[in-house]
Each structure stands twice: as C-alpha cells, then as structure tokens.
Amino acid sequence: IMKETVGERNVFRFGGDEFAIIKRNIKEGELLEAAENIRLKIKERISGCTISIGASLLPIDTQAVHDLLPMADRALYISKLHRNMVTIYHEMLGEDDEI
C-alpha cells in the first residue's frame, strides 16, 4: 500500500513493523495527503488493522537532514497515543515551543 501510494523506491523497512518513507521535494499538503491515503487504505484493506504515522519536513521542521528521523519519531509517538492518525512534527508543538 505504501509503495503503491508513494512509489517503490521511497519505502524502506525500518525494523519490525516500522517503515520509513523518504520523499524529496514534497510540499506539506502532498505529504499529508499521501500519509492520509496510506492510513485510510490500510484501514480499508486490512481488517482490524490501523496505522499511526509521524512525519517531518525539511526545511519547515529543521535545516538538518539528520534531524528528520528523530522528529518524525516524536510525531509518531503522538500518533500512537491517539491511535490511527497522522502527526506532522511542527503541528504537535505549541506556539511557545521551538523547533
């Protein structure tokens, strides 16, 4: 489902039941649309299965590529708390928080 949505060369198994999707030159709206499409297709096609997604964007969330994965992981933690949702890193921060 992920490969069908974002392309085979963009999906990587990160371990166990965790995957990473790396997309270059993607706008926030496109990222959110792709993540929601993945979430909804999994819910629809795999009975009783849900997915939580965390995402981060360069340069919105950080200027350093090596910060993207830890930021996406923090966003994923929020998604897992609420179950079956997509969280983008900068959206989980309050107005007083720094990125």
Side-chain angles (χ1 to χ4, degrees):
I1 292 171
M2 288 184 284
K3 289 178 179 179
E4 164 189 307
T5 304
V6 298
E8 187 169 327
R9 296 184 64 185
N10 297 310
V11 178
F12 305 90
R13 187 175 198 130
F14 195 64
D17 62 350
E18 292 189 6
F19 294 83
I21 296 174
I22 300 172
K23 278 293 269 187
R24 295 180 65 168
N25 303 319
I26 190 169
K27 292 179 172 67
E28 184 172 352
E30 295 168 327
L31 168 68
L32 189 56
E33 182 179 353
E36 280 295 328
N37 283 337
I38 291 167
R39 188 185 68 76
L40 292 171
K41 285 178 184 177
I42 286 176
K43 183 178 177 183
E44 176 184 297
R45 294 185 193 177
I46 305 172
S47 179
C49 184
T50 61
I51 184 172
S52 298
I53 299 173
S56 59
L57 287 159
L58 183 95
I60 295 171
D61 294 319
T62 182
Q63 295 293 317
V65 172
H66 66 273
D67 290 335
L68 287 171
L69 189 57
M71 289 176 167
D73 196 47
R74 286 182 62 197
L76 174 61
Y77 178 76
I78 299 301
S79 288
K80 284 182 176 182
L81 284 176
H82 300 282
R83 299 184 52 87
N84 194 34
M85 67 179 282
V86 175
T87 303
I88 298 176
Y89 181 80
H90 63 270
E91 291 180 351
M92 68 181 229
L93 300 175
E95 289 183 19
D96 296 330
D97 294 327
E98 287 188 27
I99 297 177

